[in-house]
Coordinates of all heavy atoms in Angstrom, one line a residue:
N1 N 27.7 -18.1 -63.8 CA 27.2 -16.8 -63.2 C 26.3 -17.2 -62.0 O 25.7 -18.2 -61.9 CB 26.4 -16.0 -64.1 CG 27.3 -15.4 -65.2 OD1 28.6 -15.3 -65.0 ND2 26.7 -14.9 -66.3
N2 N 26.3 -16.3 -61.1 CA 25.4 -16.4 -59.9 C 24.2 -15.6 -60.0 O 24.2 -14.4 -60.0 CB 26.3 -16.0 -58.6 CG 25.5 -16.3 -57.3 OD1 24.4 -16.7 -57.3 ND2 26.2 -16.2 -56.2
P3 N 23.0 -16.2 -60.1 CA 21.8 -15.4 -60.3 C 21.3 -14.6 -59.1 O 20.5 -13.7 -59.2 CB 20.7 -16.5 -60.7 CG 21.3 -17.8 -60.1 CD 22.8 -17.6 -60.2
H4 N 21.9 -15.0 -57.9 CA 21.5 -14.3 -56.7 C 22.4 -13.2 -56.3 O 22.3 -12.6 -55.2 CB 21.3 -15.3 -55.6 CG 20.3 -16.4 -55.8 ND1 19.0 -16.1 -55.8 CD2 20.5 -17.7 -56.2 CE1 18.3 -17.2 -56.1 NE2 19.2 -18.2 -56.3
L5 N 23.4 -12.9 -57.2 CA 24.4 -11.9 -56.8 C 23.8 -10.5 -56.6 O 24.2 -9.8 -55.7 CB 25.5 -11.9 -57.9 CG 26.7 -11.1 -57.6 CD1 27.4 -11.6 -56.4 CD2 27.7 -11.2 -58.8
F6 N 22.9 -10.1 -57.5 CA 22.2 -8.8 -57.4 C 21.5 -8.7 -56.1 O 21.6 -7.7 -55.4 CB 21.3 -8.6 -58.6 CG 20.6 -7.3 -58.5 CD1 21.3 -6.1 -58.8 CD2 19.3 -7.1 -58.2 CE1 20.7 -4.9 -58.8 CE2 18.7 -5.9 -58.2 CZ 19.4 -4.8 -58.4
L7 N 20.7 -9.7 -55.7 CA 20.0 -9.7 -54.4 C 21.0 -9.6 -53.2 O 20.7 -9.0 -52.2 CB 19.1 -10.9 -54.3 CG 17.9 -11.0 -55.3 CD1 17.2 -12.2 -55.2 CD2 17.0 -9.8 -55.2
K8 N 22.1 -10.3 -53.3 CA 23.1 -10.3 -52.3 C 23.6 -8.9 -52.1 O 23.8 -8.4 -51.0 CB 24.2 -11.3 -52.6 CG 25.2 -11.5 -51.4 CD 24.6 -12.1 -50.2 CE 24.4 -13.6 -50.3 NZ 24.0 -14.2 -49.1
G9 N 23.9 -8.2 -53.3 CA 24.4 -6.8 -53.2 C 23.3 -5.9 -52.6 O 23.7 -5.0 -51.9
L10 N 22.1 -6.1 -52.9 CA 21.0 -5.3 -52.3 C 21.0 -5.5 -50.8 O 20.7 -4.6 -50.0 CB 19.7 -5.6 -52.9 CG 19.4 -5.0 -54.3 CD1 18.0 -5.5 -54.8 CD2 19.5 -3.5 -54.3
Q11 N 21.2 -6.7 -50.3 CA 21.2 -7.0 -48.9 C 22.3 -6.2 -48.2 O 22.2 -5.6 -47.2 CB 21.3 -8.5 -48.6 CG 20.0 -9.2 -48.9 CD 20.2 -10.7 -48.7 OE1 21.3 -11.2 -48.7 NE2 19.1 -11.4 -48.6
W12 N 23.5 -6.3 -48.8 CA 24.7 -5.6 -48.3 C 24.4 -4.1 -48.2 O 24.6 -3.4 -47.2 CB 25.9 -5.9 -49.1 CG 26.6 -7.1 -48.7 CD1 26.3 -8.4 -49.1 CD2 27.8 -7.3 -47.9 NE1 27.2 -9.3 -48.6 CE2 28.1 -8.6 -47.8 CE3 28.5 -6.4 -47.2 CZ2 29.1 -9.1 -47.1 CZ3 29.6 -6.8 -46.5 CH2 29.9 -8.2 -46.4
A13 N 24.0 -3.5 -49.3 CA 23.7 -2.1 -49.4 C 22.6 -1.7 -48.5 O 22.7 -0.6 -47.9 CB 23.4 -1.7 -50.9
G14 N 21.6 -2.5 -48.4 CA 20.5 -2.1 -47.5 C 20.8 -2.1 -46.1 O 20.5 -1.2 -45.4
G15 N 21.4 -3.2 -45.6 CA 21.7 -3.3 -44.2 C 22.8 -2.3 -43.7 O 22.6 -1.6 -42.8
I16 N 23.9 -2.3 -44.5 CA 25.0 -1.4 -44.1 C 24.6 0.1 -44.4 O 24.9 1.0 -43.6 CB 26.3 -1.8 -44.7 CG1 26.7 -3.2 -44.2 CG2 27.4 -0.8 -44.5 CD1 27.8 -3.9 -44.9
G17 N 24.0 0.3 -45.6 CA 23.7 1.6 -46.0 C 22.7 2.3 -45.1 O 22.8 3.5 -44.7
A18 N 21.7 1.5 -44.6 CA 20.7 2.0 -43.7 C 21.3 2.4 -42.4 O 20.9 3.5 -41.8 CB 19.6 1.0 -43.5
M19 N 22.2 1.6 -41.9 CA 22.8 2.0 -40.6 C 23.7 3.2 -40.7 O 23.8 4.0 -39.8 CB 23.6 0.8 -40.1 CG 22.8 -0.3 -39.3 SD 21.9 0.4 -37.9 CE 20.3 0.6 -38.6
I20 N 24.4 3.3 -41.8 CA 25.2 4.5 -42.0 C 24.3 5.8 -42.1 O 24.5 6.8 -41.5 CB 26.1 4.4 -43.3 CG1 27.2 3.3 -43.0 CG2 26.7 5.7 -43.6 CD1 28.0 3.0 -44.2
L21 N 23.2 5.6 -42.9 CA 22.3 6.8 -43.2 C 21.5 7.1 -42.0 O 21.3 8.3 -41.7 CB 21.4 6.4 -44.4 CG 20.5 7.5 -44.9 CD1 21.3 8.7 -45.4 CD2 19.6 7.0 -46.0
Y22 N 21.0 6.2 -41.2 CA 20.1 6.4 -40.1 C 20.7 6.3 -38.7 O 20.1 6.6 -37.7 CB 18.9 5.5 -40.2 CG 18.1 5.8 -41.4 CD1 17.9 4.7 -42.3 CD2 17.6 7.0 -41.8 CE1 17.2 4.9 -43.5 CE2 16.9 7.2 -42.9 CZ 16.6 6.1 -43.8 OH 15.9 6.3 -44.9
G23 N 22.0 5.8 -38.7 CA 22.6 5.6 -37.4 C 23.8 6.4 -37.2 O 24.0 7.2 -36.2
I24 N 24.8 6.3 -38.1 CA 26.1 7.0 -37.9 C 26.0 8.5 -38.4 O 26.5 9.4 -37.6 CB 27.2 6.2 -38.7 CG1 27.3 4.9 -38.1 CG2 28.5 7.0 -38.7 CD1 28.3 4.0 -38.8
L25 N 25.4 8.8 -39.5 CA 25.4 10.2 -40.0 C 24.6 11.1 -39.0 O 25.1 12.2 -38.8 CB 24.8 10.3 -41.4 CG 25.8 9.8 -42.5 CD1 25.1 9.9 -43.8 CD2 27.1 10.6 -42.5
P26 N 23.5 10.8 -38.5 CA 22.8 11.7 -37.6 C 23.6 12.0 -36.3 O 23.7 13.1 -35.8 CB 21.5 11.0 -37.2 CG 21.2 10.1 -38.4 CD 22.6 9.6 -38.9
V27 N 24.2 10.9 -35.8 CA 25.1 11.1 -34.6 C 26.2 12.0 -34.9 O 26.6 12.9 -34.2 CB 25.6 9.7 -34.1 CG1 26.7 9.9 -33.0 CG2 24.4 8.9 -33.5
W28 N 26.9 11.8 -36.1 CA 28.0 12.6 -36.5 C 27.6 14.1 -36.7 O 28.3 15.0 -36.2 CB 28.6 12.1 -37.8 CG 29.7 12.9 -38.3 CD1 31.0 13.1 -37.7 CD2 29.8 13.7 -39.5 NE1 31.7 13.9 -38.4 CE2 31.0 14.3 -39.5 CE3 28.8 13.9 -40.5 CZ2 31.4 15.1 -40.6 CZ3 29.2 14.8 -41.5 CH2 30.5 15.4 -41.6
M29 N 26.4 14.3 -37.3 CA 25.9 15.7 -37.5 C 25.6 16.4 -36.2 O 26.0 17.6 -36.0 CB 24.7 15.7 -38.4 CG 25.0 15.3 -39.8 SD 23.7 15.5 -41.0 CE 22.4 14.5 -40.3
V30 N 25.0 15.7 -35.3 CA 24.6 16.3 -33.9 C 25.9 16.6 -33.2 O 26.1 17.7 -32.6 CB 23.7 15.4 -33.1 CG1 23.6 15.8 -31.7 CG2 22.3 15.3 -33.8
W31 N 26.9 15.6 -33.2 CA 28.1 15.8 -32.5 C 28.9 17.0 -33.0 O 29.4 17.9 -32.3 CB 29.0 14.6 -32.6 CG 30.2 14.6 -31.7 CD1 31.3 15.3 -31.8 CD2 30.3 13.9 -30.4 NE1 32.2 15.0 -30.8 CE2 31.6 14.2 -29.9 CE3 29.5 13.0 -29.7 CZ2 32.0 13.7 -28.7 CZ3 29.9 12.5 -28.5 CH2 31.2 12.8 -28.0
K32 N 29.0 17.1 -34.3 CA 29.7 18.2 -35.0 C 29.0 19.5 -34.7 O 29.7 20.5 -34.4 CB 29.7 17.9 -36.5 CG 30.4 19.0 -37.3 CD 31.8 18.7 -37.4 CE 32.4 19.7 -38.4 NZ 33.9 19.6 -38.4
G33 N 27.7 19.6 -34.8 CA 27.0 20.8 -34.5 C 27.1 21.3 -33.1 O 27.4 22.4 -32.8
R34 N 26.9 20.4 -32.1 CA 26.9 20.7 -30.7 C 28.3 21.0 -30.2 O 28.5 22.0 -29.5 CB 26.3 19.6 -29.9 CG 24.8 19.5 -30.0 CD 24.3 18.5 -29.0 NE 22.9 18.2 -29.3 CZ 22.2 17.2 -28.7 NH1 22.8 16.4 -27.8 NH2 21.0 17.0 -28.9
Y35 N 29.2 20.0 -30.4 CA 30.5 20.0 -29.7 C 31.7 20.6 -30.5 O 32.7 21.0 -29.9 CB 30.8 18.6 -29.2 CG 29.6 18.1 -28.4 CD1 28.9 17.0 -28.8 CD2 29.3 18.7 -27.2 CE1 27.8 16.5 -28.0 CE2 28.2 18.2 -26.4 CZ 27.5 17.1 -26.9 OH 26.5 16.6 -26.1
C36 N 31.5 20.7 -31.8 CA 32.6 21.2 -32.6 C 32.3 22.7 -33.0 O 33.2 23.5 -33.0 CB 32.9 20.4 -33.8 SG 33.5 18.7 -33.4
L37 N 31.1 22.9 -33.4 CA 30.7 24.2 -33.8 C 30.0 25.1 -32.8 O 29.8 26.3 -33.0 CB 29.8 24.1 -35.1 CG 30.4 23.4 -36.3 CD1 29.3 23.3 -37.4 CD2 31.6 24.1 -36.8
G38 N 29.6 24.4 -31.7 CA 29.0 25.2 -30.5 C 27.6 25.6 -30.8 O 27.1 26.6 -30.2
K39 N 26.9 25.0 -31.7 CA 25.5 25.4 -32.0 C 24.6 24.9 -31.0 O 24.6 23.8 -30.5 CB 25.1 24.9 -33.4 CG 26.0 25.3 -34.5 CD 25.3 26.0 -35.6 CE 26.2 26.3 -36.7 NZ 26.1 27.5 -37.3
R40 N 23.7 25.8 -30.5 CA 22.7 25.4 -29.5 C 21.3 25.9 -30.0 O 21.2 26.8 -30.8 CB 23.0 26.1 -28.2 CG 24.1 25.4 -27.5 CD 23.7 24.0 -27.1 NE 24.7 23.4 -26.3 CZ 24.7 22.1 -26.0 NH1 23.8 21.3 -26.5 NH2 25.7 21.6 -25.3
G41 N 20.3 25.2 -29.6 CA 19.0 25.7 -30.0 C 18.0 24.6 -29.6 O 18.2 23.8 -28.7
G42 N 16.9 24.5 -30.4 CA 15.9 23.5 -30.1 C 16.5 22.1 -30.4 O 16.6 21.8 -31.6
E43 N 16.8 21.4 -29.4 CA 17.4 20.1 -29.6 C 16.3 19.0 -29.9 O 15.5 18.8 -29.0 CB 18.3 19.7 -28.5 CG 19.5 20.6 -28.3 CD 20.3 20.3 -27.1 OE1 20.0 19.3 -26.4 OE2 21.4 20.9 -26.9
L44 N 16.4 18.4 -31.1 CA 15.4 17.3 -31.4 C 15.9 16.0 -30.8 O 15.1 15.1 -30.6 CB 15.3 17.2 -32.9 CG 14.8 18.4 -33.6 CD1 14.8 18.2 -35.1 CD2 13.4 18.7 -33.2
L45 N 17.1 15.9 -30.5 CA 17.7 14.6 -29.9 C 18.2 15.0 -28.5 O 19.3 15.4 -28.3 CB 18.8 14.1 -30.8 CG 19.3 12.7 -30.4 CD1 18.2 11.7 -30.6 CD2 20.4 12.3 -31.3
P46 N 17.3 14.9 -27.5 CA 17.7 15.3 -26.1 C 18.6 14.3 -25.4 O 18.2 13.9 -24.3 CB 16.4 15.5 -25.4 CG 15.5 14.5 -26.1 CD 16.0 14.4 -27.5
V47 N 19.8 14.0 -25.9 CA 20.7 13.2 -25.2 C 22.1 13.9 -25.2 O 22.3 14.7 -26.1 CB 20.9 11.8 -25.8 CG1 19.6 11.0 -25.7 CG2 21.3 11.9 -27.3
G48 N 22.9 13.5 -24.3 CA 24.3 14.1 -24.3 C 25.3 13.3 -25.0 O 24.9 12.4 -25.9
K49 N 26.5 13.4 -24.7 CA 27.6 12.7 -25.3 C 27.4 11.2 -25.1 O 27.7 10.4 -26.0 CB 29.0 13.1 -24.8 CG 29.3 14.5 -25.3 CD 30.7 14.9 -24.8 CE 31.1 16.3 -25.3 NZ 32.4 16.7 -24.8
G50 N 27.0 10.8 -23.9 CA 26.9 9.4 -23.6 C 25.8 8.7 -24.5 O 26.0 7.6 -25.0
G51 N 24.7 9.4 -24.7 CA 23.6 8.9 -25.5 C 24.0 8.8 -27.0 O 23.7 7.8 -27.7
L52 N 24.7 9.8 -27.4 CA 25.2 9.8 -28.8 C 26.2 8.6 -29.0 O 26.1 7.9 -30.1 CB 25.8 11.1 -29.2 CG 24.9 12.3 -29.3 CD1 25.7 13.6 -29.5 CD2 23.9 12.1 -30.4
L53 N 27.1 8.4 -28.1 CA 28.0 7.3 -28.2 C 27.3 6.0 -28.1 O 27.7 5.0 -28.8 CB 29.1 7.4 -27.1 CG 30.1 8.6 -27.3 CD1 31.0 8.7 -26.1 CD2 30.9 8.5 -28.5
L54 N 26.3 5.9 -27.4 CA 25.5 4.6 -27.3 C 24.8 4.3 -28.7 O 24.9 3.2 -29.2 CB 24.4 4.7 -26.2 CG 23.5 3.5 -26.1 CD1 24.3 2.2 -25.7 CD2 22.4 3.8 -25.1
I55 N 24.2 5.4 -29.2 CA 23.6 5.2 -30.6 C 24.6 4.8 -31.6 O 24.4 3.9 -32.4 CB 22.8 6.5 -31.0 CG1 21.7 6.7 -30.0 CG2 22.4 6.4 -32.4 CD1 21.0 8.1 -30.2
L56 N 25.8 5.4 -31.5 CA 26.9 5.1 -32.5 C 27.3 3.7 -32.3 O 27.5 3.0 -33.3 CB 28.0 6.1 -32.3 CG 29.2 5.9 -33.2 CD1 28.8 6.2 -34.7 CD2 30.3 6.9 -32.8
A57 N 27.5 3.3 -31.0 CA 27.9 1.9 -30.8 C 26.9 0.9 -31.3 O 27.3 -0.2 -31.8 CB 28.2 1.7 -29.3
L58 N 25.6 1.2 -31.1 CA 24.6 0.2 -31.6 C 24.6 0.1 -33.1 O 24.5 -1.0 -33.7 CB 23.2 0.7 -31.1 CG 22.9 0.5 -29.6 CD1 21.6 1.2 -29.2 CD2 22.9 -1.0 -29.3
A59 N 24.8 1.3 -33.8 CA 24.9 1.3 -35.2 C 26.1 0.5 -35.7 O 25.9 -0.3 -36.6 CB 24.9 2.7 -35.8
I60 N 27.2 0.7 -35.1 CA 28.4 0.0 -35.5 C 28.2 -1.5 -35.2 O 28.7 -2.4 -36.0 CB 29.7 0.6 -34.8 CG1 29.9 1.9 -35.4 CG2 30.9 -0.4 -35.0 CD1 31.0 2.7 -34.7
G61 N 27.6 -1.9 -34.1 CA 27.3 -3.2 -33.7 C 26.4 -3.9 -34.8 O 26.7 -5.1 -35.1
I62 N 25.4 -3.2 -35.2 CA 24.5 -3.8 -36.2 C 25.2 -4.0 -37.5 O 25.1 -5.0 -38.2 CB 23.3 -2.9 -36.4 CG1 22.4 -3.0 -35.1 CG2 22.5 -3.3 -37.6 CD1 21.3 -2.0 -35.1
I63 N 26.1 -3.0 -37.9 CA 26.9 -3.2 -39.1 C 27.8 -4.4 -39.0 O 27.9 -5.2 -39.9 CB 27.7 -1.9 -39.4 CG1 26.7 -0.8 -39.9 CG2 28.8 -2.2 -40.5 CD1 27.4 0.6 -40.0
T64 N 28.5 -4.5 -37.9 CA 29.4 -5.7 -37.6 C 28.6 -7.0 -37.7 O 29.1 -8.0 -38.3 CB 30.1 -5.5 -36.3 OG1 30.7 -4.3 -36.3 CG2 31.1 -6.6 -36.1
L65 N 27.4 -7.0 -37.1 CA 26.6 -8.2 -37.1 C 26.2 -8.6 -38.5 O 26.2 -9.7 -38.9 CB 25.4 -8.1 -36.2 CG 24.5 -9.3 -36.1 CD1 25.3 -10.5 -35.5 CD2 23.3 -9.0 -35.2
T66 N 25.8 -7.6 -39.3 CA 25.4 -7.8 -40.7 C 26.5 -8.3 -41.5 O 26.3 -9.3 -42.3 CB 24.9 -6.4 -41.3 OG1 23.8 -5.9 -40.5 CG2 24.4 -6.6 -42.7
I67 N 27.7 -7.8 -41.4 CA 28.8 -8.3 -42.1 C 29.2 -9.7 -41.7 O 29.4 -10.6 -42.5 CB 30.0 -7.3 -41.9 CG1 29.8 -6.0 -42.6 CG2 31.3 -8.0 -42.5 CD1 30.8 -4.9 -42.4
A68 N 29.1 -10.0 -40.4 CA 29.4 -11.3 -39.9 C 28.4 -12.3 -40.4 O 28.8 -13.5 -40.8 CB 29.4 -11.3 -38.4
Q69 N 27.1 -12.0 -40.5 CA 26.1 -12.9 -41.0 C 26.3 -13.1 -42.5 O 26.2 -14.2 -43.0 CB 24.7 -12.3 -40.8 CG 24.2 -12.4 -39.4 CD 22.9 -11.7 -39.2 OE1 22.5 -10.9 -40.0 NE2 22.2 -12.1 -38.1
E70 N 26.7 -12.1 -43.3 CA 26.9 -12.2 -44.7 C 28.1 -13.1 -45.0 O 28.2 -13.8 -46.0 CB 27.0 -10.9 -45.4 CG 25.7 -10.1 -45.4 CD 24.6 -10.8 -46.2 OE1 24.9 -11.4 -47.2 OE2 23.4 -10.7 -45.7
L71 N 29.1 -13.0 -44.1 CA 30.3 -13.8 -44.3 C 30.2 -15.2 -43.8 O 31.1 -16.0 -43.9 CB 31.5 -13.1 -43.7 CG 31.9 -11.8 -44.3 CD1 33.1 -11.1 -43.5 CD2 32.3 -12.0 -45.8
G72 N 29.1 -15.5 -43.1 CA 28.8 -16.8 -42.5 C 29.5 -17.1 -41.2 O 29.5 -18.2 -40.8
V73 N 30.0 -16.1 -40.5 CA 30.6 -16.2 -39.2 C 29.5 -16.5 -38.2 O 29.7 -17.3 -37.2 CB 31.4 -15.0 -38.9 CG1 32.0 -15.1 -37.5 CG2 32.5 -14.8 -39.9
V74 N 28.4 -15.8 -38.3 CA 27.3 -15.9 -37.3 C 26.0 -16.2 -38.1 O 25.8 -15.7 -39.2 CB 27.0 -14.5 -36.6 CG1 25.8 -14.6 -35.7 CG2 28.3 -14.1 -35.9
K75 N 25.2 -17.1 -37.5 CA 23.9 -17.5 -38.2 C 22.8 -16.6 -37.9 O 22.7 -16.0 -36.9 CB 23.6 -18.9 -38.0 CG 24.6 -19.9 -38.6 CD 24.1 -21.3 -38.4 CE 25.1 -22.2 -39.2 NZ 24.6 -23.6 -39.1

């Protein structure tokens, strides 16, 4: 048995889960509200489509880097 397996699982869930929860989901909710449902109001995130896509790209980049580090591709 591997005694560090639980800690490895926490690292995976923490890194990837945090980026999904704090990076991808907020962008998706703002995009859906603004551009699919046409909701307007007091915008807490004052960026347009370009800013949202940048945030999404950064979150996906961090997830990719985390997976690459865990797989040993990048140190």
Side-chain angles (χ1 to χ4, degrees):
N1 290 343
N2 189 350
H4 300 289
L5 190 59
F6 181 72
L7 294 176
K8 188 64 81 173
L10 283 177
Q11 287 176 343
W12 276 81
I16 295 171
M19 278 300 101
I20 291 172
L21 187 61
Y22 299 121
I24 294 175
L25 285 179
V27 169
W28 178 66
M29 291 187 303
V30 169
W31 192 283
K32 180 86 173 173
R34 285 184 191 173
Y35 305 115
C36 296
L37 301 176
K39 303 238 184 219
R40 286 293 185 193
E43 295 179 355
L44 297 175
L45 190 62
V47 296
K49 288 182 180 180
L52 292 174
L53 290 174
L54 177 65
I55 294 169
L56 182 64
L58 289 172
I60 291 172
I62 291 171
I63 289 172
T64 304
L65 183 61
T66 301
I67 292 172
Q69 285 176 341
E70 292 297 325
L71 294 175
V73 177
V74 177
K75 289 186 178 186

